[in-house]
Every structure is written in structure tokens, then in C-alpha cells.
Amino acid sequence: METKNLRIKALLKNFLSAVSGIKLKLTGLHDNYVVMISCVILVALFSLQHHGTHRVAFIFAPIVTAWLLCISGIGIYNIVHWNPHIFRALSPLYMLKFLRTTGVEGWVSLGGVALSMTGVEAMFANLGHFSSLSIKIAFTFLVYPSLILAYMGEAAFLSKHHDDIQRSFYKAIPEAVFWPVFIVATFAAVVGSQAAISATFSIINQCSALNCFPRVKVIHTSSKIYGQIYIPEVNWMLMCLCLAVTIGLRDTNMIGHAYGLAVTTVMFVTTCLMALIMIMVWKKSMINSIAFLLFFGSIELLYVSASFHKVPEGGWIPIVLSFIFMAVMYIWNYGTMKKHQFDVENKVSMNRLVSMGPGLGMVRVPGIGLVYTNLTSGVPAVFGHFVTNLPAFHQVLVFICVKCVQVPYVCEDERLLISRMGPKEYGMFRCIVRYGYKDLQQENYDFENKLVSGIVQFVEIEEEGSFNMSDSEAFYAPEQTFMISNQEENRVQPLSDSQETKPVDGRLENSLCKHESIQILKAKESGVTYILGHSYAKSKKSSSIFKKIAIDLVYTFLSKNSRGPDVALNVPPTSLLEVGMVYYV
């Protein structure tokens, strides 16, 4: 019996020794362990992104709240136990005394001080999912007091333990709560990383909608919570970059230098952009904007200048990555704008298209043709190229222009802007479809039904006396635009699977537009064809070497590896007709 008890005691002793050894290693936070743990967490985190944030988001708020309460409680304990007079450090006079006493060394140390605010900015990355008021309340009443108590507690601990300055955070935690705090800290790091990843997805999606980034695959992981998206390409690129930085540096100090420089630079750039928004968007006075920029910008510029001292020690990483992404965004936007400029300069006038109709022997085939273009007026060059080589197009032709306007959302009743092109017998219309950069594009079937209903409604409104003009006047007059409102009482109901295409309102039988409306609905029954231009950009022979590299190499590579317009517009492959064309910039 005694031998058995001795064995149990020996096992317990060995177990406690092993736990103590692990605790000492974690307390020391050896870089190898940090790298290993970080890599495992990163791989697991990025691998779970395709399931959607909403599946685990319900535990985010409790984890962050528990983390803030933990560090604030530990801070209060350290303040009371080690140095209750640490509250005097809140006075800015001590900062001025510190900088005056230390001089250049104090200025350089501000690059490390900037790390105390990194991580807090991650909550502002969620502005796309939460209101600014809720973030202000959370920051003012919970986040900021918790951080102040935590840092004051750590300072109180360091005032009595000067030798523990390198690992002060974990050594300041009381032994009784070390493991719970360590576990909560790990989960809090995961939540903070998730906030940055979700923010990256949202920013890339909005930049792509504004033609500032190549088209990527966007998966909406939640049908109830808007904004929960997943971008596979960006997700795996982020994972590879994070693993490369973590494994390549293998030094928490160098990673901290890179992170601190990135955060302080982002804060300064945001302040500069905010000053422009105050002038250009909010219409504030120039004096207020300059005062805002000088006050906040001078403080942030001080931290940025101190962080630049760490560029050789890991700070070069965010600089290189930012230049790479900036070059990609600039070249993509440049190529897209040049393509749009080519379409504008080479668009076919309506008079030319009508005049060449009899000479070319145009044939009208049954159905509706939807020609997608970036032009809001005129006929795109790709359509002129199409009818010149194949003189036939559909009975009803609609030029669709999809525009992502610089507002988050566009109301459904302001979605479609419909106008007529050319004489009535040509059956040609234009529809400008407007989406906000946060809007979800509708499914094709719903879009087709709403478009046909809108066109029939437009024809009825036009014939019922909205415009009192003859056919010749209608032909030579500028294009008249109607806003089709879904809130109004539509005369034509949307089409469904079980509903045959037929005029619903009895007044349609007696209206002047009976024949045209019936023809449009019959054309819908014959089928809808999506006509997309597949353009290839090439630089001119007289272009500079830099332009040739940008267009022929970078832009061509991005175009081939980004999502095609047919996929981005949810065009069914069976109804797609692509027209190839080369344009020189």
C-alpha cells in the first residue's frame, strides 16, 4: 500500500514538474513556441473561414468581454498590490518629462509605445458590420477603461520588478489565474485575427465593386446576416503571407516592429483622408479641417517617424506589401479606365446604326438580347463590331449598363433607369442598373422578370401621354429616362414559372402600345440572350517600356486570372454570347 502511495506521489510530482516547466516556458514566451502556436492557430483559423463567421460569431462577444474583464481585473490587482500611486502616470506631464530627459532615445522608444494601441484598431475594422455609435459606446465605457487599468497594473508591477521588463505581461499575472487568462488570451487573439480577416474581405469586395481591384469570387456565407462574406483567393493568399512572415522572421520583436509601423501609418493616412472628406463631402470649413489635420496628424506623425527607425528590423515588410498591392490596384484601375475610354471614343452613334441597317440587310431574330456595356449613352463599339460581321440581332434589344455607385445601398425603387433608343419600330431600349458597393446583385431570373415588367411599364407610360410628340420628334429628341419604381402600382405583374407571359391589365388591350407590349412579352417567351464583350488590352507600339509591362504583362495576367464578367454578373452559360475584340491603349 505504501509502495502504491509512493508511486502515486511520484507521478503527481512528475506531472506538477512538467506543468511547471510548461508554465515557465510559456511565461518566458520563447520565440520557437510562439511561432509554432501561431502557425497552428493561423492554419486552423483560415481553414474554417469557408464556414462563415456567423457560425462562431456568437462566442466572439463573450470572449472579448471576458478578455477585457480579465486584464482590467489583473490591472486592479497589480495596482493595489504593487504600487497604488501609479495613477499619477495618467498626467501628460510625465510624458513630457520623459521625452525631455531621454531625448533621442525617448523618441525612438515611441515606436514600441505604439504597440500598446495595436489591436484596438481592429474593432474599428468592424464599422462595416456595426454602427459607429455602438463602437463609440463600447470603446468609451469598456475597452478604454480596461486597457488603461491593464497598462497601469503592468507599470505598477514593473516599478517593483525592473528585471522582468521583457516578459512583464505574463509574469504580472497571479499564479492562481495564469492558465485561465492564458486560454482567454489565446481565444482573444483568434477573435482579433478574425476581425482583421473579415475586414479584409469587406474591403476587397468594395474595391472590386468600384473597379479598384480585380474581380474575385465572393461567397455570402449567411442569408440572414448581411456582410458575412468569404473570398477564397484572398483567404489563402492571406494565410500564405501570414505563415511566411511568421516562419520567416521567427522573432516576436521584428513582427511587432512590422505591425507597429503598419498600424501607425494607417492611422496617419486615415487622418489625412478624413481631412479631405471633411472638406469635400461634409462641406466643413477649411480652417476646421486643417486644425483637425494638424492636431491629430502631428501626434500620429510623431509615432510614424519613431516607427520608421525600425524599418531594417522588420518594418520593411508592410512597406513592400503595401507597394505591391498599390501597384496591382493602380494598374487594374488604369487598364479598366483605358478600356472605358476606348469604348467612349469608339462608340457607334444611333444615327449610324439606323442608317446602315437597310444596307447591311439586318435580320431580327426572335427573343430578347441583353447587351452589357459600360456606356450610359450611345452604342458600344463591340456591338458595332458584332453587327458589322454578323448583321442580325434580336427582336427586342436592351443595352444593360451595370453601375456600382459610391453609396452603400441603392433602394429597389431606384434600381432601374429605362429609356428608349432610336425609333419605336427598332425595339431598342437602354437600362441602367444601379447597385451600391454593398448591394447583392439579384438572381438572373428575378432580374429578367423585373426588367421585362419595367420595359412594358415604360412603353405604357410613354404611350399614355407622358410625352406628346410625333414619331419623328421621338426619334430626334434626346433619350428620355424613366425611373421604374417597384413601389408604384405596376400594370404588368412580374413573371413566374407557373404564370404564362400575357398582359395582365385589361387596359392594355385598348392602349396604343398593345402591339409593342405583346411583342416584348412574346420575345421574353422566345428566350433571353446575354451578349458580353470579351475585350483584350494591348499597348501600342509607341508606348513606353513601363506601359508595356503594366498592360501587356500585369494587366493581362490579372484579367486572365480574375473572374470573368459573365461569372460576376451571374450569366447562365447556356444563354451567353461573347464577342471578342482587341483594343489598344
Side-chain angles (χ1 to χ4, degrees), residues 538-555:
K538 288 187 177 181
S539 60
K540 299 178 181 178
K541 293 183 178 180
S542 59
S543 302
S544 62
I545 184 65
F546 297 103
K547 189 173 183 179
K548 290 182 179 179
I549 294 175
I551 297 298
D552 295 341
L553 294 180
V554 181
Y555 183 76

Side-chain angles (χ1 to χ4, degrees), residues 548-568:
K548 290 182 179 179
I549 294 175
I551 297 298
D552 295 341
L553 294 180
V554 181
Y555 183 76
T556 303
F557 174 80
L558 294 175
S559 300
K560 290 182 178 179
N561 291 276
S562 63
R563 299 189 83 196
D566 54 328
V567 181

Side-chain angles (χ1 to χ4, degrees), residues 522-538:
K522 286 183 177 180
K524 172 65 171 59
E525 291 181 345
S526 300
V528 178
T529 302
Y530 296 80
I531 305 174
L532 273 70
H534 200 84
S535 303
Y536 300 91
K538 288 187 177 181

Side-chain angles (χ1 to χ4, degrees), residues 118 256-268 307 315 318-319:
T118 58
H257 296 159
Y259 192 37
L261 178 61
V263 171
T264 53
T265 306
V266 167
M267 290 181 177
F268 179 70
S307 298
I319 296 178

Side-chain angles (χ1 to χ4, degrees), residues 166-459:
Q166 294 296 329
R167 315 294 180 189
S168 59
F169 177 78
Y170 283 99
K171 291 188 176 181
I173 300 175
E175 295 185 1
V177 295
F178 177 83
W179 289 107
V181 172
F182 179 78
I183 295 173
V184 174
T186 304
F187 281 109
V190 173
V191 172
S193 302
Q194 179 62 56
I197 295 172
S198 301
T200 303
F201 291 161
S202 299
I203 292 173
I204 293 297
N205 183 35
Q206 296 173 20
C207 289
S208 180
L210 297 175
N211 292 325
C212 294
F213 197 83
R215 293 180 296 269
V216 291
K217 183 179 182 179
V218 179
I219 301 174
H220 296 269
T221 58
S222 176
S223 58
K224 298 180 180 179
I225 304 176
Y226 185 83
Q228 300 291 343
I229 61 176
Y230 169 66
I231 304 178
E233 300 95 331
V234 177
N235 180 68
W236 301 121
M237 287 177 60
L238 278 177
M239 188 189 74
C240 294
L241 289 174
C242 291
L243 290 177
V245 171
T246 304
I247 299 174
L249 294 181
R250 302 182 65 86
D251 187 352
T252 54
N253 292 326
M254 296 183 68
I255 295 176
H257 296 159
Y259 192 37
L261 178 61
V263 171
T264 53
T265 306
V266 167
M267 290 181 177
F268 179 70
V269 172
T270 304
T271 301
C272 296
L273 295 177
M274 182 59 68
L276 293 177
I277 290 176
M278 293 175 65
I279 298 174
M280 302 175 63
V281 180
W282 296 346
K283 306 300 180 181
K284 300 293 183 180
S285 64
M286 185 72 69
I287 298 177
N288 293 335
S289 302
I290 294 176
F292 168 82
L293 179 62
L294 291 178
F295 179 76
F296 290 99
S298 59
I299 298 175
E300 294 166 353
L301 191 60
L302 181 64
Y303 284 99
V304 171
S305 61
S307 298
F308 267 105
H309 181 73
K310 304 295 184 181
V311 169
E313 303 176 11
W316 57 270
I317 295 177
I319 296 178
V320 172
L321 290 177
S322 61
F323 273 108
I324 292 175
F325 283 106
M326 184 178 68
V328 169
M329 295 177 67
Y330 177 79
I331 292 175
W332 179 262
N333 183 259
Y334 176 79
T336 304
M337 295 303 295
K338 283 296 182 181
K339 178 181 177 181
H340 179 72
Q341 182 179 351
F342 176 85
D343 290 336
V344 172
E345 293 175 353
N346 296 273
K347 65 182 179 180
V348 182
S349 65
M350 196 65 230
N351 293 334
R352 180 185 173 188
L353 183 65
V354 173
S355 62
M356 70 180 182
L360 292 176
M362 290 290 183
V363 178
R364 304 302 293 270
V365 297
I368 297 178
L370 304 182
V371 182
Y372 280 84
T373 174
N374 292 326
L375 301 178
T376 57
S377 63
V379 179
V382 67
F383 183 74
H385 176 71
F386 171 72
V387 297
T388 302
N389 293 275
L390 183 63
F393 53 87
H394 294 81
Q395 181 182 3
V396 177
L397 199 64
V398 184
F399 291 89
I400 305 291
C401 179
V402 180
K403 288 293 183 181
C404 288
V405 295
Q406 297 181 2
V407 294
Y409 306 100
V410 174
C411 299
E412 287 295 330
D413 57 337
E414 299 178 356
R415 181 80 66 198
L416 304 180
L417 298 177
I418 298 177
S419 59
R420 182 186 293 277
M421 298 179 63
K424 295 181 180 180
E425 58 268 16
Y426 269 69
M428 300 172 64
F429 302 90
R430 181 185 306 282
C431 178
I432 301 176
V433 187
R434 302 186 298 181
Y435 291 100
Y437 56 80
K438 287 187 178 182
D439 274 327
L440 302 179
Q441 294 193 10
Q442 300 173 357
E443 296 295 332
N444 289 303
Y445 191 79
D446 293 336
F447 174 72
E448 291 176 4
N449 290 334
K450 291 182 180 180
L451 178 63
V452 172
S453 298
I455 293 175
V456 174
Q457 181 185 354
F458 168 81
V459 171

Side-chain angles (χ1 to χ4, degrees), residues 133-192:
L133 179 61
S134 61
I135 293 180
K136 289 178 182 178
I137 294 175
F139 185 83
T140 304
F141 295 101
L142 182 60
V143 178
Y144 183 73
S146 300
L147 293 176
I148 290 297
L149 290 174
Y151 286 123
M152 283 197 302
E154 192 171 347
F157 174 82
L158 286 174
S159 65
K160 304 299 182 182
H161 305 81
H162 300 286
D163 297 334
D164 297 332
I165 189 170
Q166 294 296 329
R167 315 294 180 189
S168 59
F169 177 78
Y170 283 99
K171 291 188 176 181
I173 300 175
E175 295 185 1
V177 295
F178 177 83
W179 289 107
V181 172
F182 179 78
I183 295 173
V184 174
T186 304
F187 281 109
V190 173
V191 172

